Amino acid sequence: MAREARREAQGTEPLDWGGAPEARVPSEGPESAEKVLSRIWGYPGFRPGQGEIVQAVMRGEDLLAIMPTGGGKSLCYQLPALLRAGPTVVVSPLIALMQDQVAALRALGVAAGALTSANTPEETRAVREALWDGALRLLYISPERLALPETQETLTRVGVSLLAVDEAHCVAQWGHDFRPDYLTVGVFRRQMAQMGRPLQVAAFTATADEATRGEIIEKLFGAAEGRDAPRVFIRGFDRPNLRLAFEPKKSPKARILSFVKAREGQAGLVYCASRKGVEKMAEHLTDNGVRCLPYHAGLDPAVRQAHQRAFVEEDGVVMAATIAFGMGVDKPDVRFVAHADLPKTVESYYQEIGRAGRDGLPADTLTLYGFDDMKLRRRQIEESDAPEERKRAERARLGALLALAEAPICRRQTLLAYFGETLTEPCGTCDLCERPPERFDGKIAAQKAISAMLRTGERFGMGHVISVLRGESTEMIEKCRHDQLKTFGCGGEYSANEWRAILRQLYAQGLADINVLNHGEWFVTEAGRQAMRGEREVWLRKDAVTGAGPSSGWSASGKARSGERPPAPTVDPSDNALLQALKAKRLELAREAKTPAYVIFTDRTLAEIATIKPKTLEDLSLCHGVGEAKLKKFGKVFLEIVEQEAA
Ligand code: ADP
Ligand code: ZN
């Protein structure tokens, strides 16, 4: 087999590692992890949690690391891979993901390769040769390829001793992303152990829940001889660079357009619930001068792929997408994520907004929540034939999402509390911290609304309840003679919109519920009856009533949002010309090298260059993300740009 592969490899060019083969860590004298981080990656330090994981990997420990998206998982196995003998094999679920990682590593001068069905024969030959020669530091393969006997034989022979498993939750049978061949990892590991060749396994995922965690441990690490359970690292879920905001859904297309327009030139994602929604959103944004592409499972695969590549590789593309888009999109400089429709759960919300700001720079998010979305979701739950237990869980999850949407205090505190973490201080970077919602004693309003529901027999939807409160004469009012009720017209101090907001909050606080299986009748819960009897306080948010009509009972504080607040600028505006010039150069180089722009330099690096305006290579090497390979390859070119713009 070895000879065969060598023969196969003859006559091919050596792989291009990006022009700095000396980036291979010299075998004499160990270099510290921090040193390698700075020399190869050009990063000044580890992100929270990374350092200890890197150390554990270097000590040879089996581990499962749970880190949020954008937390920097890849580095945790890539860096140790440079400091050990023998290749590190990375099992990864998606070809595009592997390709991007390999491109990024090569740009750093690291000998990395992937064996995928998308390779050219030359590429495959070169990767195999490097593997047999012991030159390859990182080899990316799919789980399906790992399952092939010849792959396992090769890996055993070339002396692989570390297997990194990316997106390890794919091994979980009941998860959304189950990939049967992920189970091979556990099997292979056991075989190696039986042969007396222990294989270290380091697994990584962003999926936090306990059931998945348990399943990963069992399937990947279970029952291996002579080895203990893996060490588990759970790194906090806070992503402080993401700004959080929710708004009630009103003219969503217009609202998203203004949000996107306020962030012109930035790459972003707009999630919509349906394919049709995606199409319409993309059309609307495009018609208004935004470079926006649609993405959903109904599109031709070639089109879908082209759109994904454009989003990843070009600067400032906006993608309108269903949740089919996301996993395996490694773009670090997504600057915003907007939800035009309500996400499914708090988990999916966090995963989706987590695709913004992986580079650690400020990124903005906006979620529009419509009460109708909520009701629809609720009906889907009730109508499904899932067992009652499951339905109860789903209801609770929806309730958590609603509570987040209508949160009275810091949204990040509410969000992290859901994940079992405590944030002691309000975050300062969510809509509620920036504009703390004024609350008012809503006892009377709640009593009026609840009374209207009770007196109409809890048989009516929101519209009718509000008509009763406001004393409107409608056909239904006349037919049911509800104008005779004591409650009729008792709520004239609030507009219909304001009543809607009040009812929503009563629902969010569990004082009223909706019979979604029938006609959406509102009924009063036990907690609601307590409020009715005055045995319970009710505090309501005033600001939930933005855009209230002119008759607004509290319009003084229902201030309209004044325009848009783009994320804090990272560069002095006067340097904008320089930044633009740097970006243009980056795009040119990326096109030449056929790689995504961020593989050359990230936004953060360019922003630092534009701020620091380095004059020498040494100055430049101090900028974030400028390691020795990139310094050598691109240093002069970018210094010239700085010099030109200064002139
Ligand atoms: P994920 O955990 O989602 O897999 P990645 O490994 O893709 O995250 O890392 C996200 C981004 O953060 C990448 O662009 C990566 O280069 C960058 N990054 C990782 N570690 C550091 C660090 N210590 N300092 C600065 N940037 C880092
Ligand atoms: Zn906050």
Side-chain angles (χ1 to χ4, degrees):
M1 174 99 191
R3 224 174 299 125
E4 216 174 81
R6 277 173 192 283
R7 205 170 333 117
E8 230 182 54
Q10 261 170 21
T12 57
E13 294 293 313
L15 270 190
D16 173 18
W17 306 127
E22 69 273 30
R24 263 197 74 182
V25 174
S27 48
E28 73 283 347
E31 199 180 5
S32 76
E34 284 79 9
K35 189 88 191 300
V36 176
L37 181 68
S38 147
R39 186 166 66 85
I40 306 291
W41 274 270
Y43 295 154
F46 285 114
R47 290 225 181 117
Q50 274 181 334
E52 39 172 2
I53 298 174
V54 165
Q55 294 302 333
V57 174
M58 283 169 42
R59 280 195 303 271
E61 290 178 28
D62 282 334
L63 60 93
L64 166 61
I66 298 163
M67 286 170 99
T69 308
K73 288 184 276 299
S74 341
L75 195 99
C76 295
Y77 53 82
Q78 289 170 347
L79 195 154
L82 304 188
L83 289 168
R84 66 197 286 143
T88 292
V89 170
V90 186
V91 176
S92 173
L94 293 170
I95 291 181
L97 201 77
M98 296 191 232
Q99 287 173 331
D100 287 351
Q101 295 231 349
V102 167
L105 283 166
R106 287 189 185 169
L108 296 173
V110 173
L115 289 175
T116 77
S117 55
N119 283 13
T120 60
E122 293 75 42
E123 170 85 2
T124 295
R125 235 174 280 145
V127 171
R128 284 184 191 278
E129 182 185 19
L131 183 63
W132 284 109
D133 283 350
L136 201 68
R137 309 311 317 146
L138 287 126
L139 173 67
Y140 284 78
I141 57 174
S142 66
E144 289 75 20
R145 190 170 291 255
L146 178 67
L148 299 175
E150 58 263 39
T151 307
Q152 297 185 6
E153 195 187 321
T154 305
L155 295 185
T156 313
R157 289 200 184 192
V158 299
V160 60
S161 59
L162 171 60
L163 196 68
V165 183
D166 202 6
E167 314 283 358
H169 61 279
C170 291
V171 79
Q173 218 135 357
W174 304 113
H176 295 293
D177 300 322
F178 179 53
R179 286 273 286 269
D181 283 305
Y182 259 77
L183 296 167
T184 306
V185 173
V187 177
F188 183 48
R189 179 170 172 278
R190 232 172 0 254
Q191 281 170 6
M192 294 279 280
Q194 277 158 7
M195 291 190 307
R197 307 263 310 262
L199 177 68
Q200 183 191 0
V201 173
F204 297 85
T205 180
T207 304
D209 69 275
E210 211 163 320
T212 310
R213 204 186 309 157
E215 208 177 338
I216 294 173
I217 294 176
E218 182 198 326
K219 300 277 166 52
L220 293 186
F221 301 94
E225 279 153 41
R227 297 195 78 136
D228 299 327
R231 218 161 120 195
V232 179
F233 293 86
I234 302 178
R235 156 59 177 101
F237 276 79
D238 193 14
R239 296 277 312 279
N241 63 318
L242 298 185
R243 182 176 174 273
L244 309 176
F246 277 65
E247 278 177 28
K249 183 162 157 181
K250 265 173 258 153
S251 4
K253 284 202 306 236
R255 180 64 190 102
I256 297 289
L257 178 64
S258 79
F259 181 79
V260 170
K261 277 283 193 186
R263 288 157 186 81
E264 207 151 350
Q266 301 185 346
L269 280 164
V270 177
Y271 279 111
C272 306
S274 67
R275 295 175 186 184
K276 217 164 114 202
V278 166
E279 299 277 351
K280 285 192 174 155
M281 183 62 72
E283 204 180 290
H284 185 67
L285 294 180
T286 307
D287 286 350
N288 285 281
V290 176
R291 173 140 168 72
C292 176
L293 300 170
Y295 188 104
H296 58 70
L299 288 173
D300 185 70
V303 174
R304 221 160 54 204
Q305 208 175 3
H307 288 183
Q308 171 161 346
R309 290 244 66 103
F311 176 72
V312 172
E313 289 174 15
E314 290 175 31
D315 248 357
V317 176
V318 175
M319 187 79 110
T322 59
I323 51 168
F325 184 76
M327 169 148 136
V329 181
D330 236 351
K331 191 176 171 62
D333 55 356
V334 176
R335 290 270 72 84
F336 64 84
V337 170
H339 281 96
D341 299 302
L342 194 72
K344 257 190 118 120
T345 59
V346 179
E347 282 93 346
S348 51
Y349 162 72
Y350 206 34
Q351 191 171 46
E352 282 144 24
I353 63 165
R355 293 180 181 129
R358 283 179 172 223
D359 52 10
L361 290 181
D364 222 338
T365 75
L366 173 68
T367 303
L368 302 184
Y369 69 101
F371 203 68
D372 290 338
D373 293 352
M374 201 87 71
K375 266 179 15 197
L376 178 70
R377 200 66 55 65
R378 185 68 192 280
R379 190 157 77 225
Q380 287 164 347
I381 296 174
E382 303 306 336
E383 279 174 358
S384 82
D385 29 332
E388 182 53 32
E389 225 175 73
R390 172 80 179 261
K391 284 189 188 175
R392 210 176 310 134
E394 300 264 330
R395 263 180 236 129
R397 294 170 89 187
L398 183 59
L401 184 63
L402 180 61
L404 179 63
E406 297 275 356
I409 52 151
C410 171
R411 228 176 266 287
R412 201 178 308 271
Q413 286 182 320
T414 311
L415 179 66
L416 292 177
Y418 179 78
F419 290 112
E421 276 180 35
T422 316
L423 188 67
T424 44
E425 294 287 312
C427 73
T429 46
C430 72
D431 53 348
L432 298 178
C433 280
E434 286 162 5
R435 262 180 293 256
E438 227 180 299
R439 299 192 308 161
F440 69 100
D441 185 343
K443 198 165 84 191
I444 307 274
Q447 284 173 341
K448 287 181 179 175
I450 289 169
S451 160
M453 290 173 207
L454 290 173
R455 284 174 194 271
T456 53
E458 301 175 278
R459 287 183 294 115
F460 293 89
M462 189 187 243
H464 187 75
V465 172
I466 292 175
S467 294
V468 170
L469 284 163
R470 292 188 33 80
E472 291 163 356
S473 61
T474 68
E475 235 174 84
M476 185 65 84
I477 295 273
E478 275 167 37
K479 199 173 130 205
C480 302
R481 308 193 51 191
H482 282 164
D483 49 356
Q484 310 289 314
L485 296 174
K486 206 174 137 211
T487 338
F488 187 73
C490 74
E493 68 272 41
Y494 300 128
S495 71
N497 260 340
E498 288 164 346
W499 275 118
R500 269 192 276 278
I502 293 168
L503 290 185
R504 269 204 321 262
Q505 291 188 64
L506 295 183
Y507 178 74
Q509 296 183 17
L511 303 183
D513 202 350
I514 306 171
N515 187 348
V516 288
L517 274 189
N518 217 335
H519 299 103
E521 300 92 332
W522 280 65
F523 62 95
V524 181
T525 64
E526 186 43 45
R529 285 169 204 274
Q530 286 169 5
M532 185 69 208
R533 295 194 294 265
E535 296 165 9
R536 194 188 168 101
E537 287 190 25
V538 183
W539 288 91
L540 299 175
R541 273 176 50 184
K542 283 190 182 180
D543 76 313
V545 202
T546 47
S551 70
S552 163
W554 53 61
S555 57
S557 63
K559 256 183 291 175
R561 301 193 158 227
S562 55
E564 271 307 324
R565 188 199 64 103
T570 41
V571 190
D572 178 343
S574 63
D575 293 328
N576 238 325
L578 173 54
L579 187 60
Q580 291 316 320
L582 293 169
K583 282 193 173 180
K585 178 51 82 181
R586 173 174 72 174
L587 187 64
E588 184 191 319
L589 293 170
R591 291 226 164 107
E592 247 167 56
K594 295 197 177 68
T595 62
Y598 68 80
V599 166
I600 309 288
F601 279 137
T602 61
D603 280 0
R604 172 147 182 204
T605 304
L606 295 192
E608 282 206 15
I609 297 177
T611 314
I612 296 172
K613 302 192 184 70
K615 294 206 166 56
T616 63
L617 283 173
E618 207 186 329
D619 291 351
L620 181 61
S621 76
L622 297 177
C623 290
H624 188 271
V626 185
E628 60 184 16
K630 289 187 181 177
L631 187 68
K632 189 165 167 202
K633 205 161 175 191
F634 309 121
K636 267 179 68 194
V637 189
F638 282 91
L639 284 180
E640 273 165 26
I641 305 276
V642 176
E643 201 182 311
Q644 276 166 22
E645 288 297 319

